[in-house]
Amino acid sequence: MHKPRLTFSCVLHIWFGLLLLVLVGSAALAAGGEDGQGAIKVLVMPFEVNAQDDLSNLRTQIAGVLAQRLEKEGAVTITVQAPDVEAALKTTAASLDEIRSKAREEGAQHVIWGSFTLIGTIFSLDVRMMSVLPGAPAERFFAQGQNLESLITVANDLADQIGLKLFERQLVTEIRIQGNQRIESDAIL
């Protein structure tokens, strides 16, 4: 009597099949949003800019980059328009409850805000994301780069990290395949 054996190729196909199911399932969940009725709505506030030079134009540009990237992942984003930037920045300097209240007013389920700091040629992006649910903690994200030319790339990478958390996705970092047993050809369907 022969024991059925799995080939390396068969095990590899099974793993890739499972990985594909996970990816398709997470994409379907992201398209359905938090409640299964629609996309997740996110208010992206203007960023506080800390730099020696006047880089106030980055307040809304960084928020715009994050919003565009999150929209590609399936979120509906709300950004603050130019005339309201100063008032929005005062809100982000306020308490978490005031930030949460502003997001609720805009019809968002989550709010993102943060700061950009430039010292010499090195910059950092410090971002916080929070649900509008009372008592929800603010998640923190951080990235840094060198030279303003890399700002968009760094912001996009940061948006990917935020997207993983926002859509509750997991990043597959390792797939282990053990053994090299074979299945007889008549046992494969």
Side-chain angles (χ1 to χ4, degrees):
M1 183 120 202
H2 294 287
K3 284 185 176 180
R5 301 172 121 190
L6 294 174
T7 65
F8 176 75
S9 175
C10 185
V11 170
L12 193 58
H13 282 95
I14 291 170
W15 275 106
F16 282 120
L18 290 172
L19 180 61
L20 182 62
L21 284 173
V22 168
L23 292 175
V24 169
S26 65
L29 285 174
E34 265 185 353
D35 57 6
Q37 300 295 321
I40 296 174
K41 294 180 183 171
V42 182
L43 173 63
V44 183
M45 303 287 281
F47 275 58
E48 178 184 338
V49 174
N50 303 304
Q52 220 171 16
D53 299 327
D54 180 22
L55 299 174
S56 57
N57 61 322
L58 293 179
R59 292 175 176 175
T60 55
Q61 287 180 355
I62 294 169
V65 169
L66 292 177
Q68 285 178 346
R69 189 61 164 226
L70 291 172
E71 284 175 358
K72 284 183 181 179
E73 295 206 27
V76 172
T77 60
I78 304 161
T79 53
V80 176
Q81 301 305 314
D84 301 324
V85 169
E86 291 302 323
L89 286 170
K90 288 178 184 172
T91 301
T92 58
S95 72
L96 294 181
D97 289 332
E98 289 180 61
I99 294 169
R100 195 175 276 123
S101 176
K102 173 71 174 165
R104 269 194 228 106
E105 286 174 19
E106 297 290 337
Q109 297 160 320
H110 297 271
V111 60
I112 294 173
W113 75 100
S115 65
F116 167 84
T117 303
L118 176 68
I119 300 174
T121 60
I122 298 173
F123 66 86
S124 71
L125 285 170
D126 300 286
V127 181
R128 294 170 81 180
M129 178 181 73
M130 174 177 63
S131 169
V132 297
L133 297 175
E139 303 282 339
R140 294 179 182 266
F141 303 90
F142 168 80
Q144 76 179 51
Q146 191 161 354
N147 298 320
L148 287 177
E149 293 83 23
S150 65
L151 177 59
I152 291 176
T153 303
V154 171
N156 281 331
D157 291 344
L158 194 58
D160 290 342
Q161 291 176 34
I162 293 168
L164 288 173
K165 190 70 173 177
L166 181 66
F167 295 108
E168 297 179 0
R169 294 182 182 146
Q170 293 183 352
L171 184 62
V172 176
T173 58
E174 181 179 359
I175 297 176
R176 290 187 196 176
I177 299 175
Q178 294 179 325
N180 60 357
Q181 295 181 341
R182 296 179 46 104
I183 292 182
E184 294 177 23
S185 60
D186 60 336
I188 299 174
L189 298 176

